[in-house]
Coordinates of all heavy atoms in Angstrom, one line a residue:
T18 N 10.1 -44.2 19.6 CA 10.1 -44.1 18.2 C 11.5 -44.1 17.7 O 12.4 -43.4 18.2 CB 9.4 -42.7 17.8 OG1 8.1 -42.7 18.4 CG2 9.4 -42.5 16.4
N19 N 11.7 -44.8 16.6 CA 13.0 -44.8 15.9 C 13.1 -43.7 14.9 O 12.2 -43.5 14.1 CB 13.3 -46.1 15.2 CG 13.4 -47.2 16.2 OD1 13.9 -47.0 17.3 ND2 13.0 -48.4 15.9
V20 N 14.2 -42.9 15.0 CA 14.4 -41.8 14.1 C 15.8 -41.9 13.4 O 16.8 -42.2 14.2 CB 14.3 -40.5 14.8 CG1 14.6 -39.3 13.9 CG2 13.0 -40.3 15.5
D21 N 15.9 -41.9 12.1 CA 17.2 -41.8 11.5 C 17.8 -40.4 11.7 O 17.1 -39.4 11.6 CB 17.1 -42.1 10.0 CG 16.8 -43.6 9.7 OD1 17.2 -44.4 10.5 OD2 16.2 -43.9 8.7
F22 N 19.1 -40.4 12.0 CA 19.7 -39.1 12.3 C 21.1 -39.2 11.7 O 22.1 -39.6 12.3 CB 19.8 -39.0 13.8 CG 20.1 -37.7 14.4 CD1 19.0 -36.8 14.5 CD2 21.3 -37.3 14.7 CE1 19.2 -35.5 15.0 CE2 21.6 -36.0 15.2 CZ 20.5 -35.1 15.4
D23 N 21.2 -38.8 10.4 CA 22.4 -38.9 9.7 C 22.6 -37.5 9.0 O 22.3 -37.3 7.9 CB 22.4 -40.0 8.6 CG 23.8 -40.2 8.0 OD1 24.8 -39.7 8.5 OD2 23.8 -40.9 6.9
L24 N 23.2 -36.6 9.8 CA 23.3 -35.2 9.4 C 24.8 -34.8 9.3 O 25.7 -35.3 10.0 CB 22.6 -34.3 10.4 CG 21.2 -34.5 10.6 CD1 20.7 -33.6 11.7 CD2 20.4 -34.3 9.4
T25 N 25.1 -33.9 8.4 CA 26.4 -33.3 8.2 C 26.7 -32.4 9.4 O 25.8 -31.9 10.1 CB 26.6 -32.6 6.9 OG1 25.8 -31.4 7.0 CG2 26.3 -33.4 5.7
A26 N 28.0 -32.0 9.6 CA 28.3 -31.0 10.6 C 27.6 -29.7 10.4 O 27.1 -29.1 11.3 CB 29.8 -30.8 10.7
D27 N 27.5 -29.3 9.1 CA 26.8 -28.0 8.8 C 25.3 -28.1 9.2 O 24.7 -27.2 9.7 CB 27.0 -27.7 7.3 CG 28.4 -27.2 7.0 OD1 29.1 -26.8 7.9 OD2 28.7 -27.2 5.8
E28 N 24.7 -29.3 8.9 CA 23.3 -29.5 9.3 C 23.1 -29.5 10.8 O 22.1 -28.9 11.3 CB 22.8 -30.7 8.6 CG 22.7 -30.7 7.1 CD 22.4 -32.0 6.5 OE1 22.8 -33.0 7.0 OE2 21.7 -32.0 5.4
L29 N 24.0 -30.1 11.5 CA 23.9 -30.1 13.0 C 24.1 -28.7 13.5 O 23.4 -28.3 14.4 CB 25.0 -31.0 13.5 CG 24.8 -32.5 13.4 CD1 26.0 -33.3 13.7 CD2 23.6 -33.0 14.2
M30 N 25.0 -27.9 12.9 CA 25.2 -26.6 13.4 C 23.9 -25.7 13.1 O 23.5 -24.9 13.9 CB 26.4 -25.9 12.7 CG 26.8 -24.6 13.4 SD 28.3 -23.9 12.7 CE 29.5 -25.1 13.3
A31 N 23.3 -25.9 11.9 CA 22.1 -25.2 11.6 C 21.0 -25.6 12.5 O 20.2 -24.7 13.0 CB 21.7 -25.5 10.1
M32 N 20.9 -26.9 12.9 CA 19.9 -27.3 13.8 C 20.1 -26.7 15.2 O 19.1 -26.3 15.8 CB 19.9 -28.8 13.9 CG 18.9 -29.5 14.6 SD 19.1 -31.3 14.4 CE 18.0 -31.9 15.7
A33 N 21.3 -26.6 15.6 CA 21.6 -26.1 16.9 C 21.3 -24.6 16.9 O 20.7 -24.1 17.9 CB 23.1 -26.3 17.3
N34 N 21.6 -23.9 15.9 CA 21.3 -22.4 15.8 C 19.8 -22.2 15.7 O 19.3 -21.2 16.3 CB 22.0 -21.8 14.6 CG 23.5 -21.7 14.8 OD1 24.0 -21.6 15.9 ND2 24.3 -21.7 13.7
H35 N 19.1 -23.0 15.1 CA 17.6 -22.9 15.0 C 17.1 -23.1 16.4 O 16.2 -22.3 16.9 CB 17.0 -23.9 14.1 CG 15.5 -23.9 14.0 ND1 14.9 -22.8 13.4 CD2 14.6 -24.7 14.5 CE1 13.6 -23.0 13.5 NE2 13.4 -24.2 14.1
G36 N 17.6 -24.0 17.2 CA 17.1 -24.3 18.5 C 17.4 -23.1 19.4 O 16.5 -22.7 20.3
K37 N 18.5 -22.4 19.2 CA 18.8 -21.2 20.0 C 17.7 -20.1 19.7 O 17.4 -19.3 20.6 CB 20.2 -20.7 19.7 CG 21.2 -21.6 20.2 CD 22.6 -21.1 19.9 CE 23.7 -22.0 20.4 NZ 25.0 -21.5 20.1
K38 N 17.2 -20.0 18.5 CA 16.3 -19.0 18.1 C 14.9 -19.3 18.7 O 14.2 -18.4 19.1 CB 16.1 -18.9 16.6 CG 17.4 -18.3 15.9 CD 17.2 -18.3 14.4 CE 18.5 -17.9 13.8 NZ 18.5 -18.0 12.3
I39 N 14.5 -20.6 18.7 CA 13.1 -20.9 19.1 C 13.0 -21.2 20.6 O 11.9 -21.3 21.1 CB 12.5 -22.1 18.3 CG1 13.3 -23.4 18.5 CG2 12.4 -21.8 16.8 CD1 12.6 -24.6 17.9
F40 N 14.2 -21.3 21.3 CA 14.1 -21.5 22.7 C 15.0 -20.5 23.4 O 16.1 -20.8 23.9 CB 14.7 -22.9 23.1 CG 13.8 -24.1 22.6 CD1 14.2 -24.9 21.6 CD2 12.5 -24.3 23.2 CE1 13.4 -25.9 21.1 CE2 11.7 -25.3 22.7 CZ 12.2 -26.1 21.7
P41 N 14.6 -19.2 23.4 CA 15.4 -18.1 24.0 C 15.5 -18.2 25.5 O 16.4 -17.5 26.1 CB 14.7 -16.9 23.5 CG 13.3 -17.3 23.3 CD 13.3 -18.7 22.9
E42 N 14.6 -18.9 26.2 CA 14.7 -18.9 27.6 C 15.6 -20.1 28.0 O 15.8 -21.0 27.3 CB 13.2 -19.2 28.2 CG 12.2 -18.2 27.7 CD 12.4 -16.8 28.4 OE1 12.8 -16.8 29.6 OE2 12.2 -15.8 27.7
K43 N 16.0 -20.1 29.3 CA 16.8 -21.2 29.8 C 16.1 -22.5 29.6 O 14.9 -22.6 29.9 CB 17.1 -20.9 31.3 CG 18.2 -21.8 31.8 CD 18.6 -21.4 33.2 CE 19.7 -22.4 33.6 NZ 20.5 -21.9 34.7
N44 N 16.8 -23.5 29.1 CA 16.2 -24.8 28.8 C 17.2 -25.9 28.9 O 18.4 -25.7 28.9 CB 15.5 -24.8 27.5 CG 16.5 -24.6 26.3 OD1 17.1 -25.5 25.8 ND2 16.7 -23.3 25.9
K45 N 16.7 -27.2 28.9 CA 17.5 -28.4 29.0 C 16.9 -29.4 28.0 O 15.7 -29.5 27.9 CB 17.4 -29.0 30.4 CG 18.7 -29.2 31.1 CD 18.4 -29.8 32.5 CE 19.6 -30.0 33.2 NZ 19.4 -30.6 34.5
G46 N 17.8 -30.1 27.3 CA 17.3 -31.1 26.3 C 18.2 -32.3 26.4 O 19.3 -32.3 26.8
A47 N 17.6 -33.5 26.1 CA 18.3 -34.7 26.1 C 18.0 -35.6 24.9 O 16.8 -35.5 24.4 CB 18.0 -35.5 27.4
A48 N 18.9 -36.3 24.4 CA 18.7 -37.3 23.4 C 19.0 -38.7 24.0 O 20.0 -38.9 24.7 CB 19.7 -37.0 22.2
L49 N 18.1 -39.6 23.7 CA 18.3 -41.0 24.2 C 18.5 -41.9 23.0 O 17.6 -41.9 22.1 CB 17.0 -41.4 25.0 CG 17.0 -42.8 25.5 CD1 18.1 -43.0 26.5 CD2 15.7 -43.1 26.2
T50 N 19.6 -42.6 22.9 CA 19.9 -43.4 21.8 C 20.7 -44.6 22.2 O 21.4 -44.6 23.2 CB 20.6 -42.6 20.7 OG1 20.9 -43.5 19.6 CG2 21.9 -42.1 21.2
Q51 N 20.6 -45.7 21.4 CA 21.5 -46.8 21.6 C 22.4 -47.0 20.4 O 23.3 -47.8 20.5 CB 20.6 -48.1 21.8 CG 19.8 -48.0 23.1 CD 19.0 -49.3 23.4 OE1 19.1 -50.3 22.6 NE2 18.3 -49.3 24.4
S52 N 22.3 -46.2 19.4 CA 23.1 -46.3 18.2 C 24.4 -45.5 18.5 O 24.4 -44.4 18.9 CB 22.4 -45.7 17.0 OG 23.3 -45.4 16.0
D53 N 25.6 -46.1 18.2 CA 26.8 -45.4 18.3 C 26.9 -44.2 17.4 O 27.4 -43.1 17.9 CB 28.0 -46.3 18.0 CG 28.2 -47.4 19.1 OD1 27.7 -47.2 20.2 OD2 28.8 -48.4 18.7
L54 N 26.5 -44.3 16.2 CA 26.5 -43.2 15.3 C 25.6 -42.0 15.7 O 26.1 -40.9 15.8 CB 26.0 -43.6 13.9 CG 25.9 -42.5 12.8 CD1 27.2 -41.9 12.5 CD2 25.2 -43.1 11.6
I55 N 24.4 -42.3 16.1 CA 23.5 -41.3 16.6 C 24.0 -40.7 17.9 O 23.9 -39.5 18.1 CB 22.1 -41.8 16.7 CG1 21.6 -42.2 15.3 CG2 21.1 -40.7 17.3 CD1 20.2 -42.8 15.2
F56 N 24.5 -41.5 18.8 CA 25.1 -41.0 20.0 C 26.2 -39.9 19.7 O 26.2 -38.8 20.3 CB 25.6 -42.1 20.9 CG 26.1 -41.6 22.2 CD1 25.2 -41.4 23.3 CD2 27.5 -41.4 22.5 CE1 25.7 -41.0 24.5 CE2 27.9 -41.0 23.7 CZ 27.0 -40.8 24.7
G57 N 27.1 -40.3 18.8 CA 28.1 -39.4 18.4 C 27.6 -38.1 17.8 O 28.1 -37.0 18.1
E58 N 26.6 -38.2 16.9 CA 26.0 -37.0 16.3 C 25.3 -36.1 17.3 O 25.4 -34.9 17.2 CB 25.1 -37.4 15.2 CG 25.8 -38.0 14.0 CD 25.0 -38.3 12.8 OE1 23.7 -38.5 13.0 OE2 25.5 -38.3 11.6
T59 N 24.6 -36.7 18.3 CA 23.9 -35.9 19.2 C 24.9 -35.3 20.2 O 24.7 -34.2 20.7 CB 22.8 -36.7 20.0 OG1 23.4 -37.8 20.7 CG2 21.7 -37.1 19.1
R60 N 26.1 -35.9 20.4 CA 27.1 -35.2 21.2 C 27.7 -34.0 20.5 O 28.0 -33.0 21.0 CB 28.2 -36.2 21.5 CG 27.8 -37.3 22.5 CD 27.4 -36.8 23.9 NE 28.5 -36.0 24.5 CZ 28.3 -34.9 25.1 NH1 27.1 -34.4 25.3 NH2 29.3 -34.2 25.6
Q61 N 27.8 -34.2 19.1 CA 28.2 -33.1 18.3 C 27.2 -32.0 18.3 O 27.5 -30.8 18.5 CB 28.5 -33.5 16.9 CG 29.1 -32.5 16.0 CD 29.4 -33.0 14.6 OE1 29.1 -34.2 14.3 NE2 30.1 -32.2 13.8
L62 N 25.9 -32.3 18.3 CA 24.9 -31.3 18.3 C 24.9 -30.6 19.7 O 24.8 -29.4 19.7 CB 23.5 -32.0 18.2 CG 22.3 -31.1 18.4 CD1 22.2 -30.0 17.3 CD2 21.0 -32.0 18.3
A63 N 25.2 -31.3 20.7 CA 25.3 -30.7 22.1 C 26.4 -29.7 22.1 O 26.3 -28.6 22.7 CB 25.5 -31.8 23.1
A64 N 27.5 -30.0 21.5 CA 28.7 -29.1 21.4 C 28.3 -27.8 20.7 O 28.7 -26.7 21.2 CB 29.9 -29.7 20.7
Y65 N 27.5 -27.9 19.7 CA 27.1 -26.7 19.0 C 25.9 -26.0 19.7 O 25.8 -24.7 19.7 CB 26.5 -27.0 17.6 CG 27.6 -27.6 16.6 CD1 27.3 -28.6 15.8 CD2 28.9 -27.0 16.6 CE1 28.2 -29.1 14.9 CE2 29.8 -27.5 15.7 CZ 29.5 -28.5 14.8 OH 30.4 -29.0 14.0
R66 N 25.1 -26.7 20.4 CA 23.9 -26.1 21.0 C 24.1 -25.5 22.4 O 23.5 -24.5 22.8 CB 22.9 -27.3 21.1 CG 21.5 -26.9 21.7 CD 20.8 -25.9 20.8 NE 19.5 -25.5 21.4 CZ 19.3 -24.4 22.1 NH1 20.3 -23.6 22.3 NH2 18.1 -24.1 22.5
E67 N 25.0 -26.1 23.2 CA 25.1 -25.7 24.6 C 25.7 -24.3 24.7 O 26.6 -23.9 24.0 CB 26.0 -26.7 25.4 CG 25.3 -27.9 25.8 CD 26.0 -28.8 26.7 OE1 27.2 -28.5 27.1 OE2 25.5 -29.8 27.2
D68 N 25.1 -23.5 25.6 CA 25.6 -22.2 26.0 C 25.0 -21.9 27.3 O 24.5 -22.7 28.0 CB 25.2 -21.1 24.9 CG 23.7 -21.0 24.7 OD1 22.9 -21.5 25.5 OD2 23.3 -20.6 23.6
E69 N 25.1 -20.6 27.7 CA 24.6 -20.2 29.1 C 23.1 -20.4 29.2 O 22.6 -20.4 30.4 CB 25.1 -18.8 29.4 CG 24.5 -17.7 28.6 CD 25.2 -17.5 27.2 OE1 26.3 -18.1 27.0 OE2 24.7 -16.7 26.4
I70 N 22.4 -20.5 28.1 CA 20.9 -20.6 28.2 C 20.5 -22.1 28.0 O 19.5 -22.5 28.6 CB 20.3 -19.7 27.1 CG1 20.5 -18.3 27.4 CG2 18.8 -20.0 27.0 CD1 20.1 -17.3 26.3
C71 N 21.2 -22.9 27.3 CA 20.7 -24.2 27.0 C 21.8 -25.3 27.4 O 23.0 -25.1 27.2 CB 20.5 -24.4 25.5 SG 20.1 -26.1 25.0
L72 N 21.3 -26.3 28.1 CA 22.1 -27.5 28.4 C 21.5 -28.6 27.5 O 20.3 -28.8 27.5 CB 22.0 -27.8 29.8 CG 22.6 -26.8 30.8 CD1 22.4 -27.2 32.2 CD2 24.1 -26.6 30.5
F73 N 22.4 -29.4 26.9 CA 22.0 -30.5 26.1 C 22.9 -31.6 26.3 O 24.1 -31.4 26.3 CB 21.9 -30.1 24.6 CG 21.3 -31.1 23.7 CD1 19.9 -31.1 23.5 CD2 22.0 -32.2 23.1 CE1 19.3 -32.1 22.7 CE2 21.4 -33.1 22.3 CZ 20.1 -33.1 22.1
N74 N 22.4 -32.9 26.4 CA 23.2 -34.0 26.7 C 22.7 -35.2 26.0 O 21.5 -35.3 25.7 CB 23.4 -34.3 28.2 CG 24.7 -34.9 28.5 OD1 25.4 -35.5 27.7 ND2 25.0 -34.8 29.8
S75 N 23.5 -36.2 25.7 CA 23.1 -37.5 25.1 C 23.2 -38.6 26.1 O 24.2 -38.6 26.9 CB 24.0 -37.8 23.9 OG 23.9 -36.7 23.0
F76 N 22.3 -39.6 26.0 CA 22.3 -40.7 26.9 C 22.0 -42.0 26.2 O 21.3 -42.0 25.2 CB 21.2 -40.4 28.0 CG 21.5 -39.2 28.9 CD1 21.0 -38.0 28.5 CD2 22.3 -39.3 30.0 CE1 21.3 -36.9 29.3 CE2 22.6 -38.2 30.8 CZ 22.1 -37.0 30.4
R77 N 22.4 -43.1 26.8 CA 22.1 -44.4 26.3 C 21.1 -45.1 27.2 O 20.5 -46.1 26.9 CB 23.4 -45.2 26.2 CG 24.3 -44.7 25.2 CD 25.6 -45.6 25.1 NE 26.6 -45.0 24.3 CZ 26.7 -45.3 23.0 NH1 25.9 -46.1 22.4 NH2 27.7 -44.8 22.3
N78 N 20.9 -44.5 28.4 CA 20.1 -45.1 29.4 C 19.0 -44.1 29.8 O 19.2 -43.0 30.1 CB 20.9 -45.4 30.7 CG 20.1 -46.0 31.8 OD1 19.4 -45.2 32.5 ND2 20.1 -47.3 32.0
K79 N 17.7 -44.5 29.7 CA 16.6 -43.6 29.9 C 16.6 -43.0 31.3 O 16.3 -41.8 31.5 CB 15.2 -44.4 29.7 CG 14.0 -43.5 29.9 CD 12.8 -44.3 29.6 CE 11.5 -43.4 29.8 NZ 10.3 -44.2 29.5
Q80 N 16.9 -43.8 32.3 CA 16.8 -43.3 33.7 C 17.9 -42.3 33.9 O 17.7 -41.3 34.6 CB 17.0 -44.4 34.7 CG 16.7 -43.9 36.2 CD 15.4 -43.3 36.3 OE1 14.4 -43.9 36.0 NE2 15.3 -42.1 36.8
D81 N 19.1 -42.5 33.3 CA 20.2 -41.4 33.4 C 19.7 -40.1 32.8 O 20.0 -39.1 33.3 CB 21.4 -41.9 32.7 CG 22.1 -43.0 33.4 OD1 21.8 -43.3 34.6 OD2 23.0 -43.7 32.8
A82 N 19.0 -40.2 31.6 CA 18.5 -39.0 31.0 C 17.4 -38.3 31.9 O 17.5 -37.1 32.1 CB 17.9 -39.4 29.6
V83 N 16.5 -39.1 32.4 CA 15.5 -38.5 33.3 C 16.1 -37.9 34.5 O 15.8 -36.7 34.9 CB 14.5 -39.6 33.7 CG1 13.6 -39.1 34.8 CG2 13.7 -40.1 32.5
D84 N 17.1 -38.6 35.1 CA 17.8 -38.0 36.3 C 18.5 -36.7 36.0 O 18.4 -35.7 36.7 CB 18.8 -39.0 36.9 CG 18.2 -40.2 37.5 OD1 17.0 -40.2 37.8 OD2 18.9 -41.2 37.7
W85 N 19.1 -36.6 34.8 CA 19.8 -35.4 34.4 C 18.9 -34.3 34.1 O 19.1 -33.1 34.5 CB 20.7 -35.7 33.2 CG 21.5 -34.5 32.7 CD1 22.7 -34.1 33.3 CD2 21.2 -33.7 31.7 NE1 23.1 -33.0 32.6 CE2 22.2 -32.7 31.6 CE3 20.2 -33.6 30.7 CZ2 22.2 -31.7 30.7 CZ3 20.2 -32.6 29.8 CH2 21.2 -31.6 29.8
L86 N 17.8 -34.6 33.4 CA 16.8 -33.6 33.1 C 16.1 -33.0 34.3 O 15.7 -31.8 34.3 CB 15.7 -34.1 32.2 CG 16.2 -34.3 30.7 CD1 15.1 -35.2 30.0 CD2 16.4 -33.0 30.0
T87 N 16.0 -33.8 35.4 CA 15.2 -33.3 36.6 C 16.1 -32.8 37.7 O 15.6 -32.3 38.7 CB 14.3 -34.5 37.1 OG1 15.2 -35.6 37.4 CG2 13.3 -34.9 36.1
C88 N 17.4 -32.8 37.5 CA 18.3 -32.3 38.5 C 18.5 -30.8 38.2 O 18.3 -30.3 37.1 CB 19.6 -33.0 38.6 SG 20.8 -32.6 37.2
D89 N 18.9 -30.0 39.3 CA 19.1 -28.6 39.1 C 20.5 -28.3 38.8 O 21.5 -28.7 39.1 CB 18.7 -27.8 40.4 CG 17.2 -27.8 40.5 OD1 16.5 -27.9 39.4 OD2 16.7 -27.7 41.6

C-alpha cells in the first residue's frame, strides 16, 4: 500500500510519543519505503521513537526489514 508521509518534526515527535503510550511493552517496528523523503522522515521518527522499550528502523529492502524484525 502506498501512503503519503509528509509530516513536520513536531508531528513526527507527537507520533513517536503516541507510540510510546500505546506500546508500553518491549517492541520492534519497521518502515519499508523506496522514497528518499519518506525514508528520511521515518529515520527521524526512529530517532524520536527509539528507547529501551522500542526499536524502530527504516528499510528500502523488504528482506532486510524481515531479517531485522526477526533477529534477537
Side-chain angles (χ1 to χ4, degrees):
T18 303
N19 292 329
V20 177
D21 286 333
F22 198 81
D23 188 14
L24 303 173
T25 66
D27 287 341
E28 290 169 328
L29 288 168
M30 190 175 292
M32 188 174 167
N34 287 332
H35 178 70
K37 290 179 182 184
K38 291 177 188 172
I39 63 171
F40 296 110
E42 304 289 323
K43 191 169 182 164
N44 64 86
K45 235 180 184 182
L49 179 62
T50 182
Q51 294 185 3
S52 161
D53 291 338
L54 174 63
I55 296 174
F56 184 82
E58 287 185 337
T59 57
R60 290 299 303 139
Q61 187 176 4
L62 175 63
Y65 294 139
R66 181 68 180 95
E67 284 189 355
D68 57 22
E69 63 279 352
I70 294 173
C71 176
L72 296 176
F73 189 90
N74 208 341
S75 299
F76 297 90
R77 295 180 187 268
N78 176 283
K79 182 178 179 180
Q80 190 58 54
D81 290 344
V83 170
D84 291 347
W85 182 79
L86 285 167
T87 57
C88 76
D89 288 332

